[in-house]
């Protein structure tokens, strides 16, 4: 977990692409469906950008929010996500990176917020 938090420190100045509020919300909904990402990794041992793009396209076509608002999650958003999650920098998310981080995503955010409040 500490490795991931140290890795995230590199992204404080991350400027690759941007998104609007609808895209941000859609991406949060996509991450709530993390079980699909985890399942692909469990089945194949890893997921790369193309695998994420495929899952995201499927999500966009089925998600009520995306359909209603015509929202598209951009390649830049997926690359930023992949870059942030890919601890070893090999361009893919393996089992440890995906299951370890996505299953504790809420815990990480809560812990960081708690630390900032205490400081």
């Amino acid at each position: 977990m500490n490795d991931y938090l140290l890795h995230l420190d590199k992204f404080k100045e991350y400027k690759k692409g941007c998104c609007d509020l609808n895209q941000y919300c859609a991406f949060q909904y996509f991450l709530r469906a993390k079980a699909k990402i985890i399942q692909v990794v469990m089945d194949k041992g890893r997921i790369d950008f193309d695998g994420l793009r495929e899952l995201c396209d499927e999500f966009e076509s089925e998600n009520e929010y995306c359909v209603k608002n015509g929202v598209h999650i951009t390649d830049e958003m997926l690359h930023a996500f992949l870059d942030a999650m890919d601890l070893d920098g090999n361009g893919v998310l393996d089992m440890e990176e995906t299951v370890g981080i996505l299953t504790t995503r809420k815990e990480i955010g809560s812990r960081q917020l708690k630390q900032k409040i205490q400081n």
Side-chain angles (χ1 to χ4, degrees):
M1 188 61 64
N2 286 337
D3 290 342
Y4 180 66
L5 293 175
L6 291 173
H7 180 71
L8 282 182
D9 281 340
K10 299 175 192 173
F11 290 87
K12 287 183 180 176
E13 301 299 320
Y14 198 75
K15 302 285 186 208
K16 190 177 191 177
C18 64
C19 64
D20 63 27
L21 181 60
N22 283 340
Q23 289 170 313
Y24 175 81
C25 290
F27 191 73
Q28 295 306 307
Y29 289 132
F30 175 65
L31 290 181
R32 284 186 186 171
K34 64 187 175 190
K36 287 189 177 186
I37 298 171
I38 292 170
Q39 188 60 53
V40 168
V41 174
M42 298 294 281
D43 292 346
K44 297 181 179 180
R46 62 188 216 152
I47 191 167
D48 60 8
F49 172 79
D50 292 333
L52 283 172
R53 178 78 267 164
E54 185 178 325
L55 285 178
C56 195
D57 289 345
E58 178 184 320
F59 168 81
E60 289 173 349
S61 70
E62 297 172 353
N63 178 266
E64 181 181 343
Y65 182 83
C66 290
V67 172
K68 179 181 175 185
N69 294 292
V71 179
H72 174 67
I73 296 171
T74 66
D75 287 354
E76 290 81 13
M77 294 171 72
L78 291 177
H79 278 296
F81 172 72
L82 183 61
D83 291 347
M85 299 286 289
D86 182 17
L87 297 178
D88 59 13
N90 67 352
V92 299
L93 301 179
D94 59 32
M95 190 114 33
E96 182 180 313
E97 291 165 332
T98 306
V99 177
I101 293 169
L102 283 180
T103 56
T104 59
R105 178 174 164 253
K106 188 172 184 177
E107 179 185 331
I108 292 169
S110 298
R111 188 180 315 136
Q112 285 180 332
L113 179 60
K114 189 174 185 178
Q115 287 173 349
K116 287 181 182 187
I117 292 171
Q118 290 175 345
N119 293 335

